[in-house]
């Protein structure tokens, strides 16, 4: 049976760390009767908030994994994904955004739009997610929702429109005035669960009238009907709702709500707003690629009778085996159905189907288009598409950033070794930005990811969840090598020592590739290299890319072109041509002026203006290029591009430099050439290290 | 085209010779226009020219975000590179990037005193020593003479060349004897170069009316225009 999709919302909650996402989610669950008591994130009762189900999350007070949960408000069913706030975990945010139809952007009424909110907002724009803004923590000293709304307009480029006016701020925040209903709303009772509507306090009338006019002005841009009604007299509530909804869905308006989740104020109004202004699954156009038809784009229907298309966006190792979170875009699935993983072509039978509520679950029989549910015991990777067997669609792939930092981990004993490999196997499936491999020279296991904290969390999880104790090496930056000029090669591989010989000659040139990692071009004419050995040359070059001869780092940005060669009727073979290509690469590489590249991070430091000089000084010392500063009143943001290798331990330095009053975020920006002096030092260090290992 | 040709062929050579740098400092230039005609575009082209010539530029942007100011630079550089077929454009852009720093301020918190403090911070700590200072979006309509004299003192102290953009208003008819419109009509003597942007109805372009020029300028009957589509400065 098709559910009424207009009564369904798939919503993300996304924001800067510590702006109160988890606290807000906790209130939402309480008011929608999913939980019967409120636990604070850093509460004294030691229970921790319901959504922070991982032990580590509870301890650190931050949310690491996005837990999905389901609730019902005024006859509408709402799926909520609680997303992490730290930039190192943005893959989680991005994956959540991919499957959501709308989002609530939470901002702190004091801190306002901080750099992380900008990152998150950019991601939301990338995935065309309509948003409503909730200005939280209005009970804090210094709360200023108007200032924050202005920042939303200026820094996030959103058309922020106030939907409410606060009744009192800071310590004496009592409630809000609803500018659509034109009523004062108070949240009473022990947990703010009793809502009382009243007349608007007289002293607020002027402000309310002004803000209401702004709201009507903005909303009438999206509805002629409303515009006429405004000119003629009093527009109806419904007209305003419809116009605001239209503007929000078109991404041209961001309605702003205010409150304090911690003090239980304004949360129910936000829930009403989610129902009124956030899209239902049918409002959003979702696209899949038809693999059988040259990846033609197909618009999915959200109809239950059409073939199934759904996306696995998150994996978790639960108590009862692997749990796969799925967003269903089209069609339906039932317990016992067989579905196909379009990446592997494998058929899978659905054993158990559940709806998640943080770490508790509810067994269900069927899921239809628009739903977010979880499957048990399905083997797949994050980002896989599942369909019914009559179609072969794939949801467009998600943007996965490169990893920029790595470290070596060494298990302390045999037991830890076994557990560690189990853990790594799990983590790499769950998180595409977390990678692992074994360095064959040192025999060390290397893990790589998006930042120090990202890797720290996985090491901690290894210890706690898998009982795998590991020793951790110093973090290593993911350097790369590339060439800077064109160079010719002409190499013959000959071997004639008993048995059958080996012969192959490969000639051509290599040149820098502007975009992409590697390209192989075959310009051989007249069969100088027989067809069957062309792919052997490609293989040989690909092998050479694994380790550059400059400093043993992977080589990228190279186009290898072969235009001549020679073969022998008996002695030429796949191996001979692979070795010839390796030799040719070595020959050309030296002449092509190889250089070392390092990851450059975009760093944003925020802090009081009095520390601007010392913040800039500290970035400057780290080979940073200061892009600019942004000064607003007493607060300054310094933006810079700094090599990742210089950023280790920066948080400690920054803390002591600014008496703990500044904070920073960083994200990968680009790979850039390492300055000659630094590169020489690095290469020298590496040589020494190698020598020691040799001994 | 190579970077060196780009410098020599820049229409801005009409205003100052290619080898002119810090040696002639302090020089003060003024770009005046009504809102939306392309003042920022001109300042950014002056800055890029200066950066290409090896100078360090501090761009002070008032009331604009850091991101937007950066985009101005990226877009105009791309246009220049494309228009002149610049070789290795990406390398040139990377090479000059460290020579620029942007400072943004709120309209209501900016003052010359604050700028002086920030500049001294930068220079004393050896973080960034600008050769050229650009101030975009500064409202000096209340007491232009006093503020601009203060600015002049600042650039003299630090030995900088400086360019400032100022908005003129159609309804304000005040004017100096030599035709410099308000709000800078009383302060024209403080500037070495003054450019007024004037839309030309007949040719649908925007003329750079050079009202005052530095002694070293090679004007000799040459004129500059702003292409209204690309906002690039063109000769003739």
């Amino acid at each position: 049976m098709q559910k009424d999709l207009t009564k369904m919302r798939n919503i993300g909650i996304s924001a800067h760390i510590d702006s109160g996402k988890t606290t807000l989610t906790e209130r939402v669950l309480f008011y929608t009767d999913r939980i019967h008591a409120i636990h604070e994130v850093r509460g004294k009762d030691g229970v921790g908030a319901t959504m922070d189900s991982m032990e580590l999350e509870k301890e650190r007070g931050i949310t690491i994994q996005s837990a999905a949960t389901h609730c019902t408000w005024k006859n509408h069913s709402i799926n909520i994904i609680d997303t992490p706030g730290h930039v190192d975990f943005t893959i989680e945010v991005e994956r959540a955004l991919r499957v959501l139809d709308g989002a609530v952007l939470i901002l702190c009424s004091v801190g306002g739009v901080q750099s992380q909110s900008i990152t998150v907002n950019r991601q939301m724009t990338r995935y065309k997610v309509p948003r409503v803004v909730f200005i939280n923590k209005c009970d804090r000293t210094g709360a200023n929702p108007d200032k924050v709304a202005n920042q939303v307009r200026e820094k996030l480029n959103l058309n922020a429109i106030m939907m409410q006016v606060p009744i009192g701020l800071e310590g004496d925040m009592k409630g809000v005035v609803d500018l659509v209903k034109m009523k004062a709303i108070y949240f009473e009772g022990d947990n703010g669960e009793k809502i009382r509507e009243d007349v608007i306090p007289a002293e607020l009338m002027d402000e309310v009238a002004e803000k209401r006019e702004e709201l009507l002005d903005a909303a009438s841009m999206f509805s002629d009907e409303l515009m006429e009604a405004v000119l003629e007299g009093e527009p109806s509530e419904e007209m305003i709702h419809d116009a605001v909804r239209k503007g929000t869905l078109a991404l041209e308006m961001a309605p702003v709500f205010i409150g304090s989740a911690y003090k239980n104020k304004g949360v129910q109004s936000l829930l009403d707003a989610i129902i009124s202004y956030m899209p239902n699954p049918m409002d959003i156009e979702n696209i899949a690629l038809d693999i059988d038809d040259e990846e033609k784009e197909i618009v999915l229907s959200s109809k239950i009778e059409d073939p199934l298309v759904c996306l696995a966006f998150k994996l978790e190792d639960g108590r009862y085996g692997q749990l796969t979170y799925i967003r269903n875009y089209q069609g339906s699935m039932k317990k016992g159905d067989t579905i196909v993983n379009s990446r592997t072509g494998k058929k899978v039978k659905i054993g158990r189907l559940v709806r998640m509520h943080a770490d508790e679950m509810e067994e269900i029989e069927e899921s239809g288009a628009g739903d977010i549910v979880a499957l048990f015991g399905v083997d797949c990777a994050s980002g896989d598409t599942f369909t019914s067997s009559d179609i072969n669609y794939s949801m467009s792939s998600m943007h996965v950033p490169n990893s920029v930092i790595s470290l070596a981990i060494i298990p302390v004993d045999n037991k830890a070794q076994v557990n560690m490999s189990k853990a790594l196997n799990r983590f790499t499936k769950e998180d595409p930005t977390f990678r692992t491999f074994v360095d064959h020279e040192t025999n060390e296991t290397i893990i790589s990811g998006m930042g120090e904290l990202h890797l720290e969390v996985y090491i901690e999880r290894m210890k706690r969840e898998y009982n795998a104790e590991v020793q951790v090496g110093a973090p290593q930056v993911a350097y790369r090598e590339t060439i800077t000029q064109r160079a010719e090669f002409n190499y013959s591989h000959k071997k004639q020592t008993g048995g059958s010989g080996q012969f192959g000659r490969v000639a051509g040139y290599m040149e820098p590739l502007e975009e992409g990692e590697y390209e192989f071009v075959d310009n051989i004419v007249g069969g100088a290299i027989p067809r069957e050995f062309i792919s052997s040359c490609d293989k040989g070059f690909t092998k050479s890319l694994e380790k550059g001869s400059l400093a043993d780092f992977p080589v990228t940005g190279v186009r290898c072109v072969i235009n001549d060669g020679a073969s022998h009727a008996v002695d030429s073979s796949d191996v001979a041509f692979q070795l010839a290509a390796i030799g040719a690469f070595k020959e050309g590489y030296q002449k092509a002026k190889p250089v070392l590249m390092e990851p450059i991070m975009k760093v944003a430091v925020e802090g009081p203006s009095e520390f601007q000089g010392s913040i800039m000084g500290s970035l400057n010392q780290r080979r940073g290029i200061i892009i600019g500063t942004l000064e607003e009143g007493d607060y300054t943001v310094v933006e810079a591009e700094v090599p990742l290798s210089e950023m280790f331990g920066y948080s400690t330095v920054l803390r002591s430099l600014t008496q703990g009053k500044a904070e920073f975020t960083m994200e990968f920006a680009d790979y850039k050439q390492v300055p000659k002096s630094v590169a020489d030092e690095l290469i020298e260090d590496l040589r020494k290290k190698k020598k020691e290992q040799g001994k | 085209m190579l970077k060196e040709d780009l410098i020599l062929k820049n229409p801005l050579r009409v205003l100052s010779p290619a080898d002119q740098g810090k040696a002639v400092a302090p020089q003060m230039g003024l770009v005046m226009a009504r809102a939306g005609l392309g003042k920022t575009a001109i300042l950014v082209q002056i800055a890029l020219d200066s950066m290409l010539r090896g100078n360090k530029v501090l761009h002070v942007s008032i009331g604009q975000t850091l991101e937007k100011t950066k985009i101005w630079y990226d877009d105009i550089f791309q246009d220049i590179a494309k228009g002149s077929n610049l070789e290795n454009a990406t390398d040139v852009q990377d090479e000059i990037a460290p020579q620029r720093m942007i400072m943004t301020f709120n309209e209501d918190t900016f003052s010359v005193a604050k700028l002086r403090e920030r500049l001294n911070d930068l220079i004393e700590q050896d973080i960034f020593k600008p050769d050229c200072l650009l101030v975009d979006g500064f409202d000096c309509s209340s007491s232009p003479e006093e503020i601009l004299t203060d600015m002049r003192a600042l650039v003299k102290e630090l030995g900088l060349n400086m360019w400032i953009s100022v908005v003129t208003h159609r309804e304000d008819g005040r004017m100096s004897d030599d035709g410099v419109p308000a709000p800078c009509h009383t302060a024209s003597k403080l500037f070495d170069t003054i450019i007024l942007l004037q839309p030309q109805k007949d040719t649908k372009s925007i003329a750079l009316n050079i009202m005052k020029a530095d002694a070293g300028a090679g004007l000799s009957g040459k004129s500059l225009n702003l292409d209204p589509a690309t906002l690039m400065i063109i000769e003739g």
Side-chain angles (χ1 to χ4, degrees):
Chain A
M1 193 190 71
Q2 174 98 41
K3 276 191 204 160
D4 183 359
L5 288 186
T6 58
K7 296 214 153 112
M8 186 181 256
R9 301 288 179 271
N10 290 318
I11 301 301
I13 295 189
S14 207
H16 190 276
I17 196 160
D18 258 357
S19 55
K21 270 190 322 280
T22 307
T23 307
L24 177 76
T25 313
E26 195 74 7
R27 298 307 184 272
V28 168
L29 295 180
F30 178 76
Y31 295 130
T32 57
D33 287 335
R34 295 298 316 199
I35 53 170
H36 303 292
I38 292 172
H39 305 288
E40 301 306 341
V41 177
R42 292 191 177 103
K44 291 185 188 105
D45 60 5
V47 182
T50 312
M51 290 288 277
D52 284 347
S53 55
M54 248 189 273
E55 201 183 327
L56 183 61
E57 293 181 8
K58 285 181 185 167
E59 197 169 286
R60 292 200 177 182
I62 56 170
T63 315
I64 295 159
Q65 284 194 319
S66 50
T69 197
H70 173 264
C71 64
T72 315
W73 179 250
K74 295 190 179 164
N75 242 340
H76 285 67
S77 103
I78 306 176
N79 286 309
I80 300 172
I81 299 258
D82 184 37
T83 49
H86 194 280
V87 79
D88 276 356
F89 305 119
T90 43
I91 190 70
E92 297 269 349
V93 183
E94 298 214 3
R95 272 195 295 195
L97 293 180
R98 179 72 174 73
V99 298
L100 291 170
D101 299 325
V104 179
L105 189 63
I106 305 183
L107 298 169
C108 168
S109 71
V110 183
V113 174
Q114 288 159 293
S115 45
Q116 178 66 38
S117 316
I118 297 174
T119 313
V120 171
N121 186 62
R122 196 163 48 227
Q123 289 160 342
M124 287 189 183
T125 307
R126 184 187 292 148
Y127 290 107
K128 298 199 180 80
V129 181
R131 47 222 104 143
V132 299
V133 176
F134 183 67
I135 301 179
N136 194 18
K137 301 197 179 181
C138 283
D139 58 304
R140 273 184 63 186
T141 316
N144 188 347
D146 283 331
K147 186 189 84 185
V148 178
N150 264 332
Q151 292 178 344
V152 172
R153 284 176 210 123
E154 281 167 15
K155 293 189 184 173
L156 304 183
N157 261 329
L158 295 178
N159 181 17
I161 302 296
M162 285 296 212
M163 303 297 289
Q164 297 172 331
V165 165
I167 305 175
L169 275 175
E170 303 182 346
D172 46 47
M173 186 190 185
K174 295 185 192 77
V176 294
V177 175
D178 183 326
L179 294 173
V180 178
K181 281 187 187 162
M182 287 301 270
K183 289 252 167 68
I185 300 176
Y186 298 97
F187 305 88
E188 294 171 346
D190 288 347
N191 293 310
E193 69 276 17
K194 288 188 196 124
I195 294 172
R196 179 168 67 82
E197 288 187 4
D198 209 337
V199 289
I200 300 169
E203 68 274 16
L204 287 176
M205 269 327 272
D206 286 349
E207 190 189 351
V208 167
E210 185 192 324
K211 292 268 165 65
R212 165 133 167 139
E213 202 178 316
E214 281 173 22
L215 162 64
L216 292 179
D217 272 356
S220 14
M221 300 302 289
F222 304 99
S223 156
D224 294 341
E225 194 194 2
L226 177 65
M227 193 179 284
E228 276 167 31
V230 171
L231 292 173
E232 281 165 14
E234 270 307 290
S236 70
E237 280 179 30
E238 204 185 338
M239 273 182 210
I240 307 176
H241 281 312
D242 285 351
V244 173
R245 180 178 177 82
K246 240 190 208 165
T248 310
L249 295 195
L251 302 178
E252 284 176 19
M253 191 169 165
V256 179
F257 296 83
I258 47 188
S260 160
Y262 184 64
K263 296 278 181 209
N264 307 315
K265 303 244 181 301
V267 178
Q268 294 96 323
S269 309
L270 179 66
L271 279 166
D272 288 343
I274 289 175
I275 289 171
S276 305
Y277 308 131
M278 292 273 86
N280 68 56
M282 287 188 300
D283 289 325
I284 301 285
E285 187 182 86
N286 288 301
I287 291 185
L289 306 171
D290 188 349
I291 301 170
D292 294 341
D293 188 10
E294 293 176 342
E295 302 210 339
K296 204 175 113 193
E297 288 190 356
I298 307 275
V299 176
L300 299 176
S301 72
S302 17
K303 281 190 192 135
I304 203 159
E305 59 272 18
D306 283 337
L308 173 79
V309 180
C310 56
L311 178 76
F313 65 96
K314 185 171 174 58
L315 309 180
E316 253 177 38
D317 211 8
R319 266 163 286 176
Y320 316 102
Q322 179 173 304
L323 191 61
T324 310
Y325 286 83
I326 294 240
R327 160 78 199 251
N328 194 339
Y329 288 94
Q330 174 182 295
S332 72
M333 57 182 161
K334 283 191 207 68
K335 234 162 117 171
D337 277 359
T338 304
I339 54 176
V340 183
N341 181 335
S342 67
R343 180 177 58 92
T344 59
K346 268 190 196 157
K347 287 189 176 170
V348 186
K349 196 170 172 196
I350 301 171
R352 281 175 72 193
L353 202 58
V354 293
R355 205 189 293 287
M356 292 307 295
H357 162 222
D359 60 356
E360 285 159 33
M361 58 188 87
E362 171 195 339
E363 204 96 13
I364 53 170
E365 290 296 318
E366 185 179 4
S367 129
D371 250 347
I372 290 179
V373 292
L375 300 178
F376 262 113
V378 173
D379 185 34
C380 69
S382 192
D384 282 359
T385 305
F386 286 101
T387 64
S388 38
S389 52
D390 46 346
I391 51 169
N392 192 10
Y393 291 175
S394 173
M395 300 295 297
S396 45
S397 72
M398 288 181 274
H399 173 87
V400 179
N402 291 327
S403 59
V404 289
I405 179 173
S406 62
L407 24 101
I409 48 173
I410 305 147
V412 289
D413 52 29
N414 266 344
K415 200 176 123 227
Q417 166 96 47
V418 176
N419 291 341
M420 181 183 86
S421 48
K422 266 191 211 158
L424 292 179
N425 192 13
R426 157 69 31 204
F427 298 157
T428 45
K429 265 192 180 174
E430 274 181 20
D431 178 355
T433 59
F434 178 79
R435 299 176 179 99
T436 170
F437 62 95
V438 175
D439 183 332
H440 293 295
E441 274 180 19
T442 58
N443 245 337
E444 282 170 338
T445 303
I446 311 287
I447 55 173
S448 65
M450 302 312 298
E452 268 178 300
L453 183 58
H454 187 210
L455 296 183
E456 257 172 44
V457 163
Y458 278 115
I459 288 163
E460 198 71 24
R461 279 185 65 190
M462 251 184 250
K463 203 191 298 175
R464 288 173 190 229
E465 292 170 32
Y466 289 86
N467 199 13
E469 193 82 39
V470 294
Q471 274 176 1
V472 180
Q476 293 290 325
V477 171
Y479 290 100
R480 287 181 185 176
E481 295 181 21
T482 193
I483 56 171
T484 54
Q485 64 180 40
R486 184 187 141 119
E488 311 262 334
F489 50 75
N490 182 357
Y491 184 83
S492 300
H493 172 72
K494 277 183 229 161
K495 204 174 161 201
Q496 214 117 42
T497 43
S500 60
Q502 284 183 3
F503 179 80
R505 180 168 76 86
V506 176
Y509 60 91
M510 62 170 68
E511 61 184 1
L513 186 62
E514 283 274 325
E515 262 171 48
E517 310 218 320
Y518 164 67
E519 204 176 287
F520 173 70
V521 181
D522 162 29
N523 277 348
I524 299 273
V525 279
I529 296 177
R531 291 256 65 89
E532 67 262 38
F533 300 132
I534 299 288
S535 66
S536 315
C537 298
D538 188 9
K539 265 189 231 160
F541 290 135
T542 312
K543 259 187 202 161
S544 309
L545 293 171
E546 285 169 14
K547 231 171 210 189
S549 53
L550 189 64
D552 289 353
F553 292 113
V555 181
T556 59
V558 182
R559 179 188 288 119
C560 292
V561 183
I562 51 169
N563 52 24
D564 197 13
S567 64
H568 183 272
V570 179
D571 291 350
S572 283
S573 65
D574 176 41
V575 176
F577 270 99
Q578 278 194 41
L579 290 170
I582 291 173
F585 189 91
K586 223 178 242 168
E587 187 186 302
Y589 194 69
Q590 288 310 327
K591 291 191 278 182
K593 292 221 172 126
V595 290
L596 219 51
M597 308 283 280
E598 63 181 340
I600 304 289
M601 309 302 280
K602 187 178 159 194
V603 179
V605 189
E606 304 180 10
S609 294
E610 60 194 281
F611 296 114
Q612 198 194 79
S614 20
I615 291 172
M616 284 199 283
S618 69
L619 293 168
N620 198 47
Q621 275 170 14
R622 294 180 154 64
R623 288 200 281 130
I625 294 174
I626 294 172
I627 306 286
T629 61
L630 196 130
E631 199 161 331
E632 269 181 6
D634 301 334
Y635 224 66
T636 296
V637 181
V638 181
E639 252 184 51
E641 288 187 347
V642 191
L644 174 65
S645 58
E646 305 282 340
M647 287 303 288
F648 295 135
Y650 184 62
S651 49
T652 322
V653 173
L654 186 66
R655 250 199 309 272
S656 65
L657 213 57
T658 61
Q659 302 157 11
K661 286 179 187 155
E663 56 175 285
F664 80 102
T665 58
M666 64 174 179
E667 60 178 317
F668 171 71
D670 201 2
Y671 265 93
K672 283 206 175 130
Q673 193 179 330
V674 182
K676 180 106 188 23
S677 56
V678 181
D680 288 348
E681 220 170 275
L682 245 162
I683 294 169
E684 189 51 38
D685 279 356
L686 240 107
R687 251 180 224 141
K688 270 188 207 154
K689 215 170 140 193
K690 254 187 171 175
K691 234 183 190 173
E692 274 167 27
Q693 275 168 6
K695 277 176 194 169
Chain B
M1 201 187 267
L2 292 170
K3 186 178 126 187
E4 290 68 28
D5 303 320
L6 199 61
I7 298 169
L8 291 172
K9 292 201 174 130
N10 195 322
L12 285 169
R13 291 289 75 75
V14 170
L15 288 176
S16 62
D19 53 1
Q20 190 176 67
K22 218 172 165 176
V24 295
Q27 293 256 321
M28 233 160 100
L30 171 68
V31 179
M32 302 184 85
R34 293 208 309 267
L37 279 186
K39 287 181 296 295
T40 306
I42 291 185
L43 287 192
V44 170
Q45 285 172 73
I46 291 173
L48 283 169
D49 175 54
S50 188
M51 285 154 69
L52 284 166
R53 287 187 285 140
N55 297 318
K56 285 194 166 176
V57 173
L58 179 69
H59 184 122
V60 175
S61 187
I62 299 154
Q64 279 253 27
T65 61
L66 193 54
E67 199 61 32
K68 276 193 190 140
T69 315
K70 254 186 337 203
I71 291 171
W72 267 111
Y73 275 88
D74 291 346
D75 286 355
I76 289 195
F77 184 84
Q78 292 304 333
D79 283 347
I80 294 176
K82 229 188 257 162
S84 60
N85 269 330
L86 179 67
E87 282 176 38
N88 303 325
T90 327
D91 292 345
V92 174
Q93 197 174 10
D94 282 352
E95 183 192 319
I96 62 172
Q99 284 159 240
R100 179 202 71 203
M101 190 174 150
I102 301 166
M103 268 190 180
T104 60
F105 291 91
N106 264 357
E107 275 131 341
D108 43 349
T109 58
F110 179 78
S111 66
V112 180
K114 192 168 232 173
L115 179 63
R116 178 177 274 122
E117 191 187 324
R118 294 284 170 263
L119 268 167
N120 282 332
D121 257 1
L122 287 179
I123 295 167
E124 274 163 23
Q125 290 194 68
D126 206 8
I127 296 167
F128 193 84
K129 277 189 185 153
D131 305 296
C132 178
L133 174 69
L134 301 171
V135 181
D136 191 21
F138 184 33
D139 178 15
C140 61
S141 50
S142 54
S143 48
E145 246 186 296
E146 190 185 324
I147 295 173
L148 291 169
T149 309
D150 207 4
M151 282 269 193
R152 176 111 204 166
L154 173 67
V155 293
K156 198 173 172 196
E157 261 166 56
L158 302 172
L160 297 173
N161 288 321
M162 167 168 155
W163 282 88
I164 180 167
S165 75
V166 168
V167 187
T168 59
H169 297 278
R170 210 191 293 248
E171 60 279 6
D172 191 342
R174 289 176 298 166
M175 203 181 272
S176 73
D177 294 341
D178 43 359
V180 177
C184 293
H185 57 295
T186 54
S188 62
K189 59 183 182 303
L190 291 168
F191 292 97
D192 306 279
T193 309
I194 298 180
I195 298 172
L196 179 67
L197 294 188
Q198 286 173 318
Q200 307 289 302
K201 271 195 190 131
D202 43 334
T203 55
K204 286 193 176 148
S205 64
I206 300 164
L208 273 70
N209 178 2
I210 303 165
M211 309 188 80
K212 190 174 177 183
D214 165 43
L219 280 177
S220 61
K222 285 181 190 162
S223 64
L224 295 178
N225 282 304
L226 200 63
D227 180 335
T230 59
L231 294 181
M232 300 300 280
I233 302 175
I234 43 177
E235 215 172 305

